[in-house]
Amino acid sequence: MLKSVNLIDAGLIDYKTCWDLQEKLFQDTIALKTANRNLPMAQQVVPPNYLIVCEHPSVFTLGKSGKREHLLISQSELLKHGIQYYPINRGGDITYHGPGQLVVYPIIDLDQFFTDIHKYLRLLEEAVIQTCHDFGIQTSRYEGYTGVWMDVMKPDLARKICAMGVRCSRWVTMHGLAFNVNVDLLPFNYIIPCGIEDKKVTSLHLEVFNQPNQILVKEKLLANIAHIFQMKFTPIPVSNFVNA
């Protein structure tokens, strides 16, 4: 049976605005699950699931296990380059978000799917792997690392095309994946991406040697996520949650 998921296509949205939205949906879901514990089964309410897909203006985010020194430029240089910076509450180290990158934030109750965070991460990776395949490139997982990679059998050439970092509490998820589609990679030079010093990053447009249609890539990625997780999306305008 397909699980109902509210799809919020937020377009290009400020990182902090979207983070606040994630936090609200995340905390509301946890509160509803907590309230259900004190109710008879017949009165319990199934928590709604959400998936936000968006792009962000240029921003660096540092996960709770990351190191501040992996940001290689100063605050004044951040201002000069027009890049925001936020230490946040997901797993992982430092990464970059910017226009041309598809970011997906599932805020879902894994009790309705499966209670296995490692399986959850592997399935998110699989959705990106299948999307890359849809555009004619081969990607895979890289043992010892999260995310989606190219040329993992050639360590000197291995490069990441999709970064991942999540938070999970009481089996409710937030944060997610960042898939480089048509993104400018220059800002990655200002950080040690994901805290990995000897590996590069890449973008789909560099691997297929043309500019992929961003909307088509988004449609393919969402279709693969829906298929893999057995989801049925119901679109909801972002204006229902945040001011335009």
Side-chain angles (χ1 to χ4, degrees):
M1 182 176 179
L2 299 180
K3 308 296 191 303
S4 178
V5 176
N6 297 302
L7 175 64
I8 304 170
D9 189 340
L12 183 66
I13 184 172
D14 174 75
Y15 183 83
K16 184 62 165 60
T17 300
C18 194
W19 185 17
D20 288 345
L21 171 57
Q22 283 194 79
E23 283 283 3
K24 181 183 186 307
L25 299 176
F26 179 79
Q27 296 298 339
D28 286 352
T29 303
I30 288 176
L32 185 53
K33 291 184 71 174
T34 301
N36 279 341
R37 293 177 180 174
N38 300 317
L39 296 173
M41 184 69 69
Q43 296 179 24
Q44 293 182 10
V45 177
V46 177
N49 296 297
Y50 299 90
L51 187 142
I52 303 170
V53 59
C54 64
E55 298 178 42
H56 294 305
S58 293
V59 60
F60 294 128
T61 65
L62 179 69
K64 59 187 179 182
S65 59
K67 297 180 179 180
R68 176 62 175 79
E69 56 265 33
H70 291 163
L71 175 63
L72 305 178
I73 60 175
S74 66
Q75 185 66 40
S76 62
E77 289 173 308
L78 284 171
L79 292 173
K80 176 183 175 182
H81 293 294
I83 304 176
Q84 295 181 304
Y85 167 73
Y86 292 102
I88 61 172
N89 56 356
R90 60 162 170 78
D93 207 286
I94 194 165
T95 195
Y96 170 74
H97 301 304
Q101 181 188 75
L102 284 177
V103 185
V104 177
Y105 299 127
I107 300 93
I108 62 174
D109 175 17
L110 287 179
D111 273 322
Q112 299 176 40
F113 294 83
F114 47 79
T115 52
D116 185 333
I117 193 64
H118 295 289
K119 178 178 178 179
Y120 172 68
L121 291 169
R122 301 295 82 78
L123 292 184
L124 285 178
E125 291 167 346
E126 185 61 27
V128 176
I129 290 169
Q130 291 188 13
T131 303
C132 289
H133 184 266
D134 290 336
F135 287 86
I137 65 170
Q138 182 176 353
T139 56
S140 63
R141 299 171 187 85
Y142 193 173
E143 186 175 356
Y145 301 101
T146 58
V148 177
W149 296 75
M150 299 195 65
D151 283 331
V152 299
M153 301 305 293
K154 303 174 183 176
D156 291 344
L157 298 177
R159 54 206 183 277
K160 181 182 282 191
I161 198 168
C162 177
M164 292 173 45
V166 303
R167 179 185 179 194
C168 184
S169 178
R170 300 185 185 181
W171 296 116
V172 180
T173 68
M174 65 178 289
H175 300 295
L177 66 86
F179 178 26
N180 297 333
V181 179
N182 288 299
V183 68
D184 178 5
L185 298 184
L186 179 62
F188 285 98
N189 293 330
Y190 307 145
I191 61 174
I192 299 176
C194 302
I196 306 170
E197 296 191 50
D198 62 342
K199 296 292 182 288
K200 301 293 185 181
V201 296
T202 190
S203 178
L204 186 64
H205 77 282
L206 298 175
E207 304 297 339
V208 298
F209 304 108
N210 59 38
Q211 186 170 7
N213 183 297
Q214 193 86 359
I215 295 175
L216 179 58
V217 178
K218 177 170 63 177
E219 290 173 351
K220 291 284 190 181
L221 178 59
L222 291 175
N224 287 326
I225 291 172
H227 175 72
I228 289 168
F229 284 91
Q230 291 295 284
M231 294 174 170
K232 180 181 179 180
F233 290 137
T234 300
I236 296 182
V238 68
S239 57
N240 287 12
F241 303 93
V242 300
N243 295 326

